[in-house]
Amino acid sequence: MDRPWKWTLIAAGCLCVGLGVVGALLPGLPTTIFLIGASWCFTRSCPWLEERLLKAPIFRPFRG
């Protein structure tokens, strides 16, 4: 994979994560689709970022 494409995917993934965080805090803004997009971008560009995304405590299921 060439470097510009890799950095573009990393930037897009970070943008999707940011929108996902905002969506987790604000009602009405979807969260799931942004996190799926971020995971897709990170899988293709930087797998360790995807691993960090999957382990982030803000996106874990709520356990009451």
Side-chain angles (χ1 to χ4, degrees), residues 16-34:
C16 286
V17 168
L19 289 171
V21 168
V22 172
L25 300 174
L26 292 178
L29 186 67
T31 301
T32 307
I33 195 67
F34 292 122

Side-chain angles (χ1 to χ4, degrees), residues 19-48:
L19 289 171
V21 168
V22 172
L25 300 174
L26 292 178
L29 186 67
T31 301
T32 307
I33 195 67
F34 292 122
L35 295 180
I36 290 171
S39 182
W40 183 86
C41 291
F42 290 153
T43 298
R44 280 151 182 73
S45 61
C46 193
W48 69 269

